[in-house]
């Protein structure tokens, strides 16, 4: 897990994002325990309350679950849930940015579609 | 546990005002950052809260009880500062013993473990320690005493990067183990920015900011773009500083942006880090040309 | 509560340092001269009785109390660093040094007895107030006790004065302290000289200061040996209370940093 701190987003959201990413990339498997609040806060010098706030976002989203006395665990199906969530956000996060930048550059719709096709062919 | 309440606290040294009408509350189990430029009055505030300076104008209470010469309350506070208040010829191990005598609940085992981690030689006399190791010794005591409020005035003075890293780790570990309040006054803002939950900023002897770190950061903006657009957009906002590079202008704003105002395409709005925010907040709208 | 902790800490420290003072005195007054005589080859002329002054322990105790009574700031800063306030500092220091006086006086009595009966065969003279107040009650035990009380109060006066001066000095930085310590005696000396020169026709003896002092001591020319011991007891106690009051007032004003 790696945190890239920048100042544009509140720290607890960054913690949530990074943990979500780690779960999505299977750095933490479903059913596996994730590092404790203290471990994360110690390693990255972040206030435990901030880390907890970030973790709680993932608990609310159903990606993590609290097991009393044991710690935080990745829920079963977390990976699928994250995928669905990101698919839902895909339009807002990528497509609308793409379109607005294309407009600035006076690239027509057809050219963009062509580029997307090329991108898929190459990968 | 009870909060520390500071009401109408003022302090003058001779004719010079050091603190003017400070009102604040220090909650239990919270890590605070106390920020301010040199001479802003940070140390004086801490000295007043811990009753090192007597009978000020105003009051400092814990759970309603005045701290002035109140052992029961003073015993719940530990303050480490640059001032060396330990007997100078006493060896470190003796100072630990003495602390254990006077502060009940001093965790000797934890202190010993920290001594090993920081590679401090407990047989050394206090006055033979380097500045860094004096800080280390006081930090070890600060973490090992069983108190509800720990005040750290420039805790990393003279510490090298490794020891600073170790200190932040131990601080968080100790805080997680036994939650209590830390008030950290430091110039190394970047290092503690993510550790502190709340921020006090003292400027011109007054309390300028008293908020959560998150809120403070949320209210700090950098507005970047062509000079005229940026100036139009920030018209009437609380501009705390600016930087310019040719026609490109960055204006730093503290406070709410005007949501009704449309952000021009050429202008970007982003947040800034605590260090930068602090620098502009405490330098009164300085303009920097790059 | 905190008083107990502070008191026991101070008492332990005081006993240790007092022991060190006694050891130094013995080393300086007995061992060193003995060594020197041995080195000079005159060991046969050396006698313990000549080397030891009768009031050795009393001198050490008095010196000790003046020094440690005056040390104020160092104790205060240590206590405030350890969460103990000014009031507790004052009372625990006063109590601990009070115990030191009693302990020191016990040592004085023991030493006086050993000195008179073991080291020399000279009798009397180890209790300085005996010749003034020693026969008032016409009862050996009570007379002895009253002289001990007067002695303790007398030492207490020194301690209380030293505490008052020390706590005043504790308010100032080192530089001002030095100025005061040097300046005030000079000032007093000048005032005294002026007073005496103003009173050239009559000596200082005849001024009101003398009258006050003799009143306080209960002194009458006619009754030396049978002077009323309650006079010095009362004036000593009053003096100590005033000095402690002054010291207490200054102690409450102590601060870090100075």
């Amino acid at each position: 897990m790696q945190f890239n701190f920048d100042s544009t987003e509140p720290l607890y959201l960054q913690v949530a994002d990074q943990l979500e990413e780690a779960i999505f990339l299977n750095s933490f498997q479903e059913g596996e325990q994730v590092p404790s609040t203290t471990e994360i806060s110690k390693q990255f010098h972040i206030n435990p309350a901030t880390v907890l706030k970030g973790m709680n976002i993932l608990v609310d989203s159903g990606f993590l679950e609290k097991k009393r006395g044991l710690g935080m665990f990745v829920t079963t199906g977390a990976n699928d849930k994250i995928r669905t969530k990101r698919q839902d956000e895909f339009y807002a996060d990528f497509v609308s940015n793409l379109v607005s930048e294309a407009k600035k550059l006076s690239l027509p719709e057809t050219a963009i579609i062509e580029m997307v096709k090329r991108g898929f062919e190459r990968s | 546990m009870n909060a520390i309440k500071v009401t109408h606290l003022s302090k003058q040294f001779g004719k010079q005002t050091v603190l003017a009408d400070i009102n604040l509350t220090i909650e239990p189990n919270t890590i605070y950052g106390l920020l301010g430029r040199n001479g802003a009055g940070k140390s004086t505030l801490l000295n007043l809260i811990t009753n090192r300076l007597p009978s000020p104008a105003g009051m400092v209470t814990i759970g309603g009880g005045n701290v002035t010469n109140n052992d029961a309350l003073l015993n719940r506070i530990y303050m480490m500062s640059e001032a060396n208040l330990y007997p100078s010829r006493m060896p470190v191990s003796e100072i630990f013993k003495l602390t254990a005598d006077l502060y009940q609940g001093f965790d000797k085992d934890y202190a010993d473990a920290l001594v090993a981690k920081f590679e401090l030689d407990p047989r050394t006399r206090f006055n033979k320690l380097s500045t860094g190791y004096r800080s280390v010794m006081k930090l070890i005591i600060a973490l090992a005493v069983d108190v509800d409020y720990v005040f750290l005035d420039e805790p990393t003075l003279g510490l090298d990067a490794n020891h600073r890293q170790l200190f932040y780790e131990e601080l968080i570990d100790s805080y997680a183990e036994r939650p209590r309040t830390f008030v950290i006054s430091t110039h190394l803002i970047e290092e503690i920015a993510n550790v502190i939950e709340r921020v006090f900023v003292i400027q011109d002897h007054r309390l300028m900011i008293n908020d959560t770190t998150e809120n403070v950061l949320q209210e700090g903006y950098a507005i970047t773009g062509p000079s005229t657009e940026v100036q139009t957009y920030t018209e009437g906002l609380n501009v705390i500083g600016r930087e310019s590079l040719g026609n490109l202008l960055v204006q730093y704003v503290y406070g709410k942006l005007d949501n009704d105002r449309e952000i021009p395409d050429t202008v970007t709005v982003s947040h800034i880090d605590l260090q930068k925010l602090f620098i502009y907040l405490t330098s009164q709208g300085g303009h920097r040309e790059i | 509560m905190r008083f107990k902790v502070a008191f026991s800490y101070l008492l332990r420290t005081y006993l240790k340092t007092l022991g060190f003072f006694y050891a130094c005195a013995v080393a300086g007054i007995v061992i060193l001269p003995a060594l020197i005589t041995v080195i000079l080859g005159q060991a046969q002329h050396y006698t313990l009785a000549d080397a030891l002054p009768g009031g050795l322990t009393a001198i050490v105790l008095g010196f000790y109390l003046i020094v440690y009574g005056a040390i104020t700031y160092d104790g205060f800063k240590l206590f405030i660093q350890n969460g103990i306030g000014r009031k507790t500092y004052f009372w625990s220091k006063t109590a601990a040094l009070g115990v030191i006086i009693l302990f020191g006086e016990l040592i004085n009595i023991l030493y006086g007895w050993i000195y008179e009966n073991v080291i020399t065969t000279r009798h009397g003279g180890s209790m300085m107030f005996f010749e003034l107040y020693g026969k008032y009650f016409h009862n050996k035990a009570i007379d002895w006790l009253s002289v001990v009380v007067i002695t303790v109060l007398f030492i207490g006066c020194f301690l209380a004065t030293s505490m008052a001066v020390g706590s005043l000095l504790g308010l100032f930085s080192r530089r001002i302290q030095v100025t005061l310590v040097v300046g005030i005696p000079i000032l007093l000396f000048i005032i005294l000289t002026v007073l005496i020169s103003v009173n050239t026709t009559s000596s200082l003896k005849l001024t009101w200061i003398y009258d006050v002092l003799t009143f306080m001591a209960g002194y009458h020319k006619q009754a030396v040996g049978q002077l009323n011991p309650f006079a010095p007891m009362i004036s000593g106690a009053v003096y100590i209370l005033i000095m402690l009051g002054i010291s207490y007032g200054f102690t409450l004003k102590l601060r870090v940093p100075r």
Side-chain angles (χ1 to χ4, degrees):
Chain A
M1 187 170 42
Q2 201 189 340
F3 285 98
N4 299 306
F5 294 113
D6 59 19
S7 46
T8 50
E9 208 183 355
L11 203 56
Y12 70 96
L13 287 179
Q14 294 183 52
V15 171
D17 287 348
Q18 299 279 344
L19 275 171
E20 187 191 295
E21 182 74 10
I23 294 167
F24 186 61
L25 295 176
N26 282 322
S27 297
F28 304 124
Q29 306 276 344
E30 291 182 6
E32 215 179 71
Q33 188 171 12
V34 298
S36 71
T37 322
T38 316
E39 280 170 316
I40 296 175
S41 57
K42 234 177 109 171
Q43 194 170 352
F44 300 100
H45 300 176
I46 307 174
N47 191 297
T50 312
V51 178
L52 191 64
K53 203 168 166 187
M55 278 195 168
N56 282 335
I57 292 177
L58 299 193
V59 172
D60 293 343
S61 312
F63 307 153
L64 288 179
E65 60 184 343
K66 233 177 273 185
K67 287 189 184 166
R68 206 162 275 283
L70 291 173
M72 292 277 197
F73 291 78
V74 181
T75 53
T76 33
N79 217 295
D80 283 343
K81 278 185 211 159
I82 294 172
R83 182 171 296 114
T84 316
K85 181 195 149 205
R86 292 192 172 191
Q87 283 169 353
D88 293 346
E89 288 167 354
F90 189 77
Y91 183 84
D93 285 354
F94 296 96
V95 179
S96 47
N97 276 338
L98 180 85
V99 171
S100 82
E101 182 70 8
K103 278 184 179 166
K104 267 193 229 169
L105 299 171
S106 328
L107 285 168
E109 190 187 328
T110 47
I112 300 299
I113 290 167
E114 202 52 45
M115 276 188 222
V116 172
K117 271 185 186 163
R118 209 189 323 154
F120 269 106
E121 276 161 20
R122 289 216 179 153
S123 67
Chain B
M1 237 185 302
N2 299 303
I4 296 183
K5 278 210 162 58
V6 171
T7 36
H8 299 302
L9 197 64
S10 300
K11 184 74 188 176
Q12 294 189 313
F13 288 126
K15 277 187 180 165
Q16 199 197 348
T17 301
V18 184
L19 288 175
D21 197 29
I22 303 284
N23 294 283
L24 56 87
T25 303
I26 301 171
E27 298 289 347
N29 307 340
T30 311
I31 304 180
Y32 289 84
L34 173 60
L35 310 180
R37 303 190 63 184
N38 282 334
K42 300 184 301 275
S43 295
T44 303
L45 175 62
L46 296 184
N47 283 331
L48 285 170
I49 291 174
T50 56
N51 197 228
R52 290 183 177 189
L53 293 170
S55 336
M59 248 218 292
V60 179
T61 59
I62 302 179
N66 194 324
V67 297
T68 307
N69 294 319
N70 189 329
D71 298 341
L73 298 179
L74 290 176
N75 204 234
R76 293 169 55 190
I77 295 175
Y78 182 85
M79 169 155 161
M80 94 155 258
S81 65
E82 207 183 323
N84 293 320
L85 305 185
Y86 291 104
S88 59
R89 291 177 41 72
M90 200 178 258
V92 171
S93 57
E94 290 287 312
I95 292 180
F96 285 167
K97 216 180 279 170
L98 174 157
T99 308
D101 279 349
L102 299 179
Y103 267 115
Q104 273 104 19
F106 179 77
D107 189 342
K108 184 77 177 48
D109 295 338
Y110 182 43
D112 287 344
L114 290 175
V115 162
K117 278 187 189 170
F118 280 99
E119 295 165 315
L120 171 67
D121 180 1
R123 288 163 304 180
T124 318
R125 289 180 191 280
F126 182 69
N127 57 0
K128 295 272 188 267
L129 293 173
S130 65
T131 310
Y133 269 109
R134 285 182 190 185
S135 297
V136 165
M137 188 206 81
K138 293 182 216 166
L139 284 175
I140 291 174
I141 296 175
L143 291 177
V145 286
D146 182 29
V147 296
D148 299 329
Y149 294 92
V150 181
F151 294 89
L152 305 172
D153 193 3
E154 288 297 339
T156 53
L157 192 78
L159 261 61
D160 63 22
N162 303 39
H163 276 167
R164 288 211 298 275
Q165 164 112 1
L166 183 56
F167 162 63
Y168 294 122
E169 278 167 21
E170 290 301 331
L171 172 74
I172 289 170
D173 213 19
S174 166
Y175 173 73
E177 192 80 15
R178 183 224 187 284
R180 57 201 187 277
T181 288
F182 288 92
V183 179
I184 306 169
S185 162
T186 181
H187 289 108
L188 302 175
I189 298 173
E190 253 171 306
E191 288 185 3
I192 60 154
N194 295 338
V195 178
I196 57 180
E197 211 178 321
R198 292 189 66 96
V199 191
F200 296 124
V201 177
I202 295 190
Q203 170 69 359
D204 293 332
H205 319 299
R206 290 177 182 278
L207 187 63
M208 185 195 221
I209 288 174
N210 174 8
D211 206 341
T212 63
T213 314
E214 205 181 297
N215 286 348
V216 171
L217 287 172
Q218 281 298 300
E219 305 234 314
Y221 296 96
I223 318 289
T224 314
S227 200
T228 39
E229 271 99 333
V230 169
Q231 268 163 351
T232 319
Y233 180 74
T234 55
E235 179 89 50
L237 298 179
N238 180 23
V239 177
I240 54 171
R242 66 205 59 179
E243 275 170 17
S244 55
L245 177 66
N247 189 39
L248 191 70
L249 178 67
V250 188
Q251 288 210 323
Y252 298 102
V253 172
Y254 187 71
K256 295 266 180 299
L257 295 182
D258 190 342
N259 284 332
D260 297 340
R261 234 175 263 187
E262 202 172 314
I263 304 171
D265 267 359
T266 47
V267 168
T268 53
V269 174
S270 56
H271 285 290
I272 50 179
D273 64 39
L274 193 60
Q275 168 112 343
K276 205 158 208 172
L277 190 57
F278 170 79
I279 289 171
Y280 284 111
L281 276 171
T282 56
S283 63
Q284 283 131 0
H287 181 110
R288 291 207 308 148
E289 295 252 0
I290 305 170
Chain C
M1 30 151 262
R2 303 296 294 157
F3 173 82
K4 236 162 112 183
V5 177
F7 172 76
S8 71
Y9 171 77
L10 281 178
L11 188 60
R12 257 178 297 144
T13 319
Y14 286 150
L15 284 174
K16 255 186 257 170
T17 44
L18 179 62
F20 180 72
F21 267 58
Y22 282 136
C24 282
V26 169
I29 290 170
V30 181
I31 298 174
L32 202 63
L35 278 177
I36 290 168
T37 50
V38 169
I39 290 164
L40 295 175
Q42 297 176 320
Q44 66 273 24
H45 299 303
Y46 182 84
T47 60
L48 201 55
D50 289 342
L52 271 183
L56 176 69
T57 57
I59 295 163
V60 172
L61 180 67
F63 183 64
Y64 179 87
L65 288 171
I66 287 171
V67 172
Y68 277 81
I71 292 175
T72 307
Y73 181 70
D74 285 357
F76 161 69
K77 68 176 189 178
L78 180 64
F79 272 16
I80 198 80
Q81 172 72 80
N82 285 286
I84 295 168
R86 294 164 189 77
K87 289 182 184 168
T88 309
Y89 172 54
F90 176 81
W91 292 117
S92 58
K93 179 182 171 181
T94 308
L97 286 175
V99 172
I100 290 290
I101 290 183
L102 296 179
F103 174 78
E105 180 57 16
L106 190 73
I107 299 280
N108 288 349
I109 292 165
L110 280 174
Y111 176 79
W113 186 85
I114 293 170
Y115 187 79
E116 285 174 18
N117 295 289
V118 182
I119 299 170
T120 66
T121 44
R122 291 197 294 263
H123 278 265
S126 72
M127 294 244 283
M128 60 191 278
F129 293 109
F130 212 86
E131 277 148 44
L132 292 172
Y133 306 101
K135 291 171 195 142
Y136 181 79
F137 292 107
H138 304 291
N139 174 320
K140 259 198 174 157
I142 295 176
D143 276 331
W144 183 82
L145 199 68
S146 84
V147 170
V148 168
V149 170
I150 293 169
T151 312
V152 165
L153 284 170
F154 183 72
I155 303 171
C157 289
F158 273 96
L159 173 63
T161 312
S162 162
M163 280 176 70
V165 172
S167 52
L168 172 65
L169 291 177
L171 299 177
F172 301 105
S173 65
R174 285 261 180 265
R175 217 178 55 210
I176 301 175
Q177 279 184 8
V178 171
T179 320
L180 288 174
V181 167
V182 176
I184 288 178
I186 293 176
L187 206 71
L188 283 179
F189 180 76
I190 292 170
I191 292 172
L192 213 64
T193 323
V194 170
L195 270 180
I196 291 171
S197 64
V198 164
N199 264 336
T200 33
T201 45
S202 56
S203 76
L204 187 65
K205 261 171 130 180
L206 298 175
T207 65
W208 58 273
I209 297 172
Y210 179 78
D211 293 336
V212 170
L213 286 177
T214 49
F215 173 75
M216 276 167 63
Y219 186 80
H220 287 286
K221 255 192 194 126
Q222 294 80 19
V224 172
Q226 294 182 35
L227 296 177
N228 186 343
F230 292 111
M233 280 182 203
I234 291 166
S235 39
V238 169
Y239 179 83
I240 288 173
L241 285 180
I242 292 169
M243 282 297 151
L244 287 183
I246 292 170
S247 178
Y248 184 71
F250 288 139
T251 300
L252 290 188
K253 292 197 168 355
L254 286 171
R255 48 187 254 179
V256 181
R258 288 186 281 201

